[in-house]
Amino acid sequence: MVAAQVPNQQVRFCRADDGVRIAWARHGCGPPLLIVSCWLSHLQHDWQSPVWRHFLDDLGDLATVVRYDERGFGLSEWEVTDFSLARRLADLEALVEAAGLDRFAVMGMSGGAPVALAYAHAHPDRVSRLVLYGGMAGGGLQQADEAAEEAFLAMIRAGWARPDPLFRRVFTNSFIPDATEQQMEWMDELQRTSTNTENAVCSRVARHATDVRALLPEITTPTLVLHAEGDRVAPGWGPRLAADIPDARLVMLESRNHVLLADEPAWPAFLREVAAFVGEDRAVVPVSHLTDREREILLLAAEGLDNTAIADRLTLSVRTVERHFQNVYLKLGLSGRTARAAAVARVLT
């Protein structure tokens, strides 16, 4: 199989306040959309996936997508022990600052929904709108009874790292029961690629202890809840979330898959809802949202200085100047070859 190209994805790294390295990436164009994804992610590997690729392509057409691998997964640091909600929220806060995000939409997917909810609750001034997809507010992906959950943990310990996907296929069948064999094979392999056995166990246990249900009535951000009717990973959670979050809108999708697949009718329905919802953020962002340094750099660009000259004038590295420009483009919803000229025009208006 020929490897799929990654369209202009920028992968960067930041440090959480406990020193753990967090990998994040940005692609697409339009208003910023921060994705708090489920634990099964890999910033590079996902682009090759028949399970995830359509999410990246289609959402990137709607927004400037910022996503990351959680601690212990993907390109982020694996040597970690703390998977608590407080720790995951602190990681997200560090990432937001590193990415230079100001006000933005957030999509909490699956097990990332509690973190997205906690962030929206703690920072209502930063989150313009909130999308919850296949999410839950408590209990993680834990099975209904203790014996069943112990059996699932035993399967992780026994089979996560094995080349044979026999045990991992149990989880794959839960996530995408209507997938093709090729799609299931990709999900089988993603599990082994995304993390090691110990992290898979510890993360699952920590998610079971997570509960943000008390925060739901206090969420003030406009919220869209999307949930598959036959979702076996987070059954019944869509209506519960929408009922407890003030003025949230619920859209149930005709699917049994926890991860919607590109060729099922539920996918274009999902995309239409998200496009309409986050599209409301396409209003012009005022230049006052830029930092003093960002405005200063734009004014120097207006004088005709290139990045090297700007760096010399301000005693900065060229890389720092480039990062400031990227943050400006993200905040103003600009992209492409005309982004620099458009940003300069905005600051001079």
Side-chain angles (χ1 to χ4, degrees):
M1 178 182 296
V2 178
Q5 291 185 338
V6 178
N8 301 318
Q9 174 175 262
Q10 304 172 21
V11 177
R12 295 181 177 175
F13 297 87
C14 64
R15 294 280 179 180
D17 58 13
D18 64 350
V20 170
R21 185 184 69 252
I22 303 296
W24 63 280
R26 178 160 49 204
H27 78 279
C29 61
L33 173 64
L34 174 60
I35 296 182
V36 187
S37 64
C38 64
W39 44 278
L40 279 178
S41 73
H42 191 292
L43 294 180
Q44 293 288 9
H45 185 73
D46 288 349
W47 284 100
Q48 317 301 326
S49 171
V51 177
W52 286 119
R53 177 70 192 245
H54 59 292
F55 278 86
L56 305 180
D57 283 335
D58 292 348
L59 291 179
D61 288 340
L62 303 176
T64 299
V65 176
V66 176
R67 62 196 183 95
Y68 66 104
D69 288 329
E70 285 196 320
R71 61 173 46 219
F73 296 89
L75 296 179
S76 291
E77 188 170 333
W78 285 22
E79 297 298 321
V80 293
T81 57
D82 187 354
F83 293 94
S84 66
L85 175 65
R87 184 65 268 163
R88 295 165 68 203
L89 176 58
D91 290 348
L92 179 55
E93 290 170 333
L95 171 100
V96 167
E97 297 308 314
L101 295 171
D102 182 17
R103 185 166 172 79
F104 49 93
V106 173
M107 178 181 289
M109 298 173 64
S110 187
V115 184
L117 285 161
Y119 186 89
H121 182 266
H123 304 280
D125 56 321
R126 306 291 290 271
V127 182
S128 60
R129 52 197 64 247
L130 178 64
V131 180
L132 301 175
Y133 160 57
M136 67 285 291
L141 307 180
Q142 190 247 2
Q143 294 303 298
D145 62 81
E146 186 174 340
E149 179 60 17
E150 284 301 319
F152 269 72
L153 291 174
M155 283 190 289
I156 294 175
R157 294 187 181 100
W160 196 267
R162 293 186 179 184
D164 184 337
L166 176 65
F167 292 99
R168 298 192 302 277
R169 180 57 65 95
V170 174
F171 298 95
T172 297
N173 281 328
S174 296
F175 277 83
I176 46 174
D178 292 333
T180 65
E181 180 60 26
Q182 182 201 26
Q183 289 167 328
M184 288 196 173
E185 288 175 358
W186 270 100
M187 182 66 85
D188 293 341
E189 186 59 24
L190 175 62
Q191 293 172 61
R192 189 171 66 144
T193 302
S194 64
T195 195
N196 58 30
T197 302
E198 182 177 1
N199 286 350
V201 170
C202 293
S203 175
R204 186 178 177 99
V205 171
R207 280 163 170 70
H208 171 44
T210 297
D211 192 337
V212 297
R213 283 174 287 189
L215 303 182
L216 300 183
E218 300 174 5
I219 298 295
T220 58
T221 304
T223 302
L224 171 65
V225 178
L226 297 156
H227 213 88
E229 292 179 347
D231 190 336
R232 295 187 294 181
V233 173
W237 266 110
R240 294 166 66 184
L241 290 171
D244 290 343
I245 298 173
D247 298 322
R249 188 165 71 88
L250 173 66
V251 176
M252 296 300 292
L253 303 165
E254 294 185 16
S255 176
R256 296 198 308 152
N257 297 314
H258 183 63
V259 179
L260 295 179
L261 302 172
D263 58 354
E264 61 178 318
W267 175 246
F270 168 94
L271 208 58
R272 285 194 302 270
E273 294 291 344
V274 173
F277 190 61
V278 304
E280 298 180 34
D281 282 352
R282 289 187 178 273
V284 174
V285 177
V287 176
S288 60
H289 280 49
L290 304 181
T291 66
D292 291 341
R293 176 66 85 186
E294 289 164 352
R295 286 196 293 271
E296 184 178 24
I297 285 175
L298 287 178
L299 290 172
L300 291 175
E303 295 179 16
L305 276 64
D306 62 15
N307 288 3
T308 301
I310 293 173
D312 290 342
R313 178 78 67 86
L314 299 178
T315 319
L316 300 172
S317 70
V318 174
R319 183 178 179 83
T320 297
V321 173
E322 291 172 349
R323 187 174 70 249
H324 281 304
F325 273 113
Q326 289 299 323
N327 290 339
V328 167
Y329 302 154
L330 178 63
K331 290 179 181 181
L332 299 183
L334 302 172
S335 63
R337 292 176 295 176
T338 63
R340 187 185 185 99
V344 169
R346 290 280 294 279
V347 81
L348 292 177
T349 302

